[in-house]
């Protein structure tokens, strides 16, 4: 992957933000990013613009650029929106007549279980995100994907934080993700929607205090 291409550099920076290597509120400069990755400032400028579009970095005139702050308020807003949107994705995924694609859930659940047993938060998170993309592909709703676009990237920071800081979240997610996948395979859209909404709501409410303690109210 060439980091001289803005989209590739944006992907690398996005991963560093999601996994917390670039911290909430950390200051970014074009010079620092260019030096760190050995590129000119031109791709850096465009990569930062892409991250700003997705809500992962914040820019203010004469004040500069920094990693978008995490907070309980931000967490609440993101998860409040995720509940109905992800519920619709699960419902439409279940209603899709795509047996071959749905067969991918078997391997996904095995990988989630393996990561959970090893208490490997990073691998569990990566596999969980893979499951989300299977849902999105099955749903095939471009308008819904546009609505979820930047929101989902912002949510990924909180999802990883939840799994890393609270191993019980992995067990909760594994149990309900198994039920969601079973409902999707069975074509039961209402069940898939209801379980998805319940899971996101439960993670949201369980993690709120910890998010406030870690990042402030906002």
């Amino acid at each position: 992957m060439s980091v001289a291409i803005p989209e590739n550099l944006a992907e690398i920076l996005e991963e560093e933000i999601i996994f917390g290597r670039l911290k909430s509120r950390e200051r970014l400069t074009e010079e620092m990013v260019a030096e760190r990755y050995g590129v000119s400032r031109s791709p850096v400028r465009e990569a930062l613009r892409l991250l700003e579009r997705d809500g992962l970095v914040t820019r203010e005139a004469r004040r500069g650029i920094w990693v978008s702050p995490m907070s309980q308020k931000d967490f609440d807003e993101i998860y409040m929106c995720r509940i109905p949107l992800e519920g619709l994705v699960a419902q439409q995924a279940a209603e899709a007549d795509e047996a071959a694609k749905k067969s991918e859930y078997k391997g996904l659940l095995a990988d989630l279980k393996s990561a959970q047993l090893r208490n490997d938060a990073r691998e569990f998170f990566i596999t969980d995100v893979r499951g989300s993309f299977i849902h999105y592909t099955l749903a095939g709703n471009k308008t819904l994907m546009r609505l979820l676009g930047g929101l989902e990237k912002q949510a990924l920071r909180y999802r990883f934080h939840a799994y890393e800081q609270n191993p019980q979240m992995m067990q909760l997610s594994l149990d309900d993700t198994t039920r969601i996948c079973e409902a999707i395979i069975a074509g039961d859209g209402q069940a898939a929607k209801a379980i998805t909404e319940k899971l996101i709501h439960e993670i949201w409410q369980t993690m709120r205090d910890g998010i406030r303690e870690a990042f402030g109210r906002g």
Side-chain angles (χ1 to χ4, degrees), residues 28-209:
L28 299 175
T29 67
E30 292 179 7
E31 295 85 355
M32 178 270 284
V33 176
E35 182 178 351
R36 181 171 179 173
Y37 296 100
V39 296
S40 69
R41 290 177 62 176
S42 180
V44 171
R45 193 174 298 117
E46 178 62 16
L48 291 173
R49 188 192 67 78
L50 294 172
L51 293 172
E52 183 182 8
R53 178 199 64 189
D54 291 335
L56 293 175
V57 303
T58 301
R59 182 195 310 264
E60 284 190 17
R62 297 183 297 277
R63 292 191 59 197
I65 304 168
W66 58 91
V67 177
S68 294
M70 296 173 72
S71 68
Q72 186 187 65
K73 182 177 184 294
D74 184 58
F75 178 63
D76 287 346
E77 290 176 356
I78 290 170
Y79 270 66
M80 194 180 299
C81 293
R82 279 193 71 210
I83 290 171
L85 293 175
E86 295 283 4
L88 284 172
V89 167
Q91 180 180 356
Q92 294 192 349
E95 293 169 354
D97 186 17
E98 297 282 352
K101 189 68 179 176
K102 291 180 180 181
S103 69
E104 295 180 21
Y105 286 125
K106 182 176 181 180
L108 174 86
L109 292 172
D111 290 345
L112 278 176
K113 180 65 175 176
S114 176
Q116 187 268 331
L117 288 173
R118 298 194 312 274
N119 198 29
D120 187 337
R122 181 186 173 91
E123 191 59 34
F124 188 93
F125 167 81
I126 291 170
T127 306
D128 187 40
V129 172
R130 191 175 96 219
S132 293
F133 280 106
I134 298 174
H135 299 343
Y136 299 159
T137 301
L138 282 167
N141 186 323
K142 292 181 180 178
T143 300
L144 193 51
M145 291 307 96
R146 283 197 298 271
L147 291 171
L148 272 167
L151 177 70
E152 178 62 14
K153 289 188 178 182
Q154 294 171 62
L156 290 177
R157 293 200 288 170
Y158 293 106
R159 286 170 71 177
F160 179 67
H161 179 82
Y163 296 144
E164 184 179 47
Q165 298 299 316
N166 189 343
Q168 292 180 348
M169 290 297 98
M170 286 192 282
Q171 184 64 61
L172 171 65
S173 181
L174 175 62
D175 292 344
D176 276 356
T177 297
T178 300
R179 296 173 61 213
I180 291 165
C181 293
E182 289 171 350
I184 291 175
I185 292 168
D188 190 340
Q190 290 302 314
K193 179 176 183 288
I195 301 165
T196 297
E197 291 175 348
K198 170 184 171 292
L199 172 61
I200 296 173
H201 186 273
E202 191 164 354
I203 291 175
W204 173 28
Q205 294 303 311
T206 302
M207 292 300 299
R208 287 187 81 241
D209 290 346

